[in-house]
């Protein structure tokens, strides 16, 4: 049974935020594949198998959003380094099913991700987002992230150099001493 964290209403349905479990992977994989297909969500060209994804993401900060019992989105954190000085820094991944975009699902997931990250001692969340992904940049800005700058030609996709906008959110309650 998934632990229930938050219930919010959209215009027509409730958004239920739950811990992501391995049985959610099939739905999450479909959402992630759709993100890959846009060519504006990730440099990855295929979704990893569950075991690889599970190993590369923190166990304590991964969630799904459900609307009418359908997985509408997912969010998770990855550690940015195994060096102890970066123990409180993680990278955000957030994906919303195209049928549920514009309904506040991303905002609900992000708020839960921030709350849980602080509960687990994380002081900085960061994200690298393609500049063309204006909705994702807006979501991050709305939730207290700031733009640090643009990493120009940071990686190639389809043999074309791509930029990413670097954003970060510094906690106001963790790591303030």
């Amino acid at each position: 049974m998934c632990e229930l964290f938050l219930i919010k209403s959209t215009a027509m349905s409730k958004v239920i935020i739950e811990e992501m479990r391995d049985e959610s992977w099939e739905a999450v994989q479909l959402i992630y594949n759709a993100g890959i297909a846009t060519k504006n969500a990730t440099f990855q060209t295929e979704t990893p198998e569950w075991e690889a994804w599970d190993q590369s993401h923190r166990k304590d900060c991964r969630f799904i959003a459900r609307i009418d019992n359908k997985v509408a989105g997912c969010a998770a954190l990855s550690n940015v380094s195994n060096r102890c000085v970066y123990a409180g820094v993680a990278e955000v991944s957030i994906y919303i099913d195209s049928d549920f975009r514009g309904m506040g699902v991303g905002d609900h997931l992000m708020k839960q991700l921030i709350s849980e990250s602080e509960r687990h001692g994380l002081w900085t969340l960061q994200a690298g987002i393609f500049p063309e992904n204006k909705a994702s940049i807006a979501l991050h800005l709305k939730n207290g992230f700031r733009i640090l700058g643009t990493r120009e030609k940071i990686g190639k996709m389809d043999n074309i150099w791509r930029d990413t906008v670097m954003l970060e959110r510094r906690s106001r309650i963790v790591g303030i001493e």
Side-chain angles (χ1 to χ4, degrees), residues 33-54:
N33 280 333
I36 289 171
T38 69
K39 303 215 182 247
N40 284 325
T42 180
F43 277 109
Q44 285 195 271
T45 57
E46 58 187 46
T47 306
E49 294 299 319
W50 165 249
E51 294 77 17
W53 188 94
D54 185 45

Side-chain angles (χ1 to χ4, degrees), residues 20 57 63-64 70 72 76 90 126 128-129 150:
M20 183 189 299
H57 290 79
F63 304 99
I64 60 167
K70 182 173 183 338
Q126 66 181 37
I129 304 171
T150 300

Side-chain angles (χ1 to χ4, degrees), residues 40-110:
N40 284 325
T42 180
F43 277 109
Q44 285 195 271
T45 57
E46 58 187 46
T47 306
E49 294 299 319
W50 165 249
E51 294 77 17
W53 188 94
D54 185 45
Q55 288 297 317
S56 66
H57 290 79
R58 294 177 60 100
K59 309 277 189 245
D60 55 6
C61 292
R62 48 172 82 168
F63 304 99
I64 60 167
R66 289 188 189 275
I67 295 179
D68 297 331
N69 207 32
K70 182 173 183 338
V71 177
C74 58
L77 296 179
S78 302
N79 291 327
V80 299
S81 175
N82 60 5
R83 295 178 59 201
C84 63
V85 297
Y86 298 112
V89 183
E91 184 170 4
V92 173
S93 294
I94 189 162
Y95 292 85
I96 309 304
D97 184 299
S98 60
D99 291 342
F100 296 99
R101 291 186 190 141
M103 298 175 65
V105 173
D107 191 51
H108 295 319
L109 280 166
M110 184 68 83

Side-chain angles (χ1 to χ4, degrees), residues 83-175:
R83 295 178 59 201
C84 63
V85 297
Y86 298 112
V89 183
E91 184 170 4
V92 173
S93 294
I94 189 162
Y95 292 85
I96 309 304
D97 184 299
S98 60
D99 291 342
F100 296 99
R101 291 186 190 141
M103 298 175 65
V105 173
D107 191 51
H108 295 319
L109 280 166
M110 184 68 83
K111 284 177 176 27
Q112 188 65 38
L113 202 59
I114 290 167
S115 174
E116 282 297 298
S117 71
E118 291 176 332
R119 193 168 80 76
H120 289 283
L122 299 175
W123 56 80
T124 299
L125 298 180
Q126 66 181 37
I129 304 171
F130 291 121
E132 297 83 1
N133 194 340
K134 295 183 186 320
S136 186
I137 292 171
L139 171 67
H140 285 74
L141 292 173
K142 177 181 178 182
N143 282 279
F145 285 74
R146 65 188 178 102
I147 294 175
L148 298 176
T150 300
R151 297 176 80 185
E152 296 178 359
K153 297 182 179 179
I154 192 67
K156 281 188 173 182
M157 178 184 286
D158 297 332
N159 210 30
I160 298 169
W161 285 105
R162 299 286 302 270
D163 300 344
T164 57
V165 176
M166 291 301 300
L167 296 97
E168 99 176 348
R169 181 190 184 278
R170 177 74 184 186
S171 174
R172 292 191 178 108
I173 61 173
V174 177

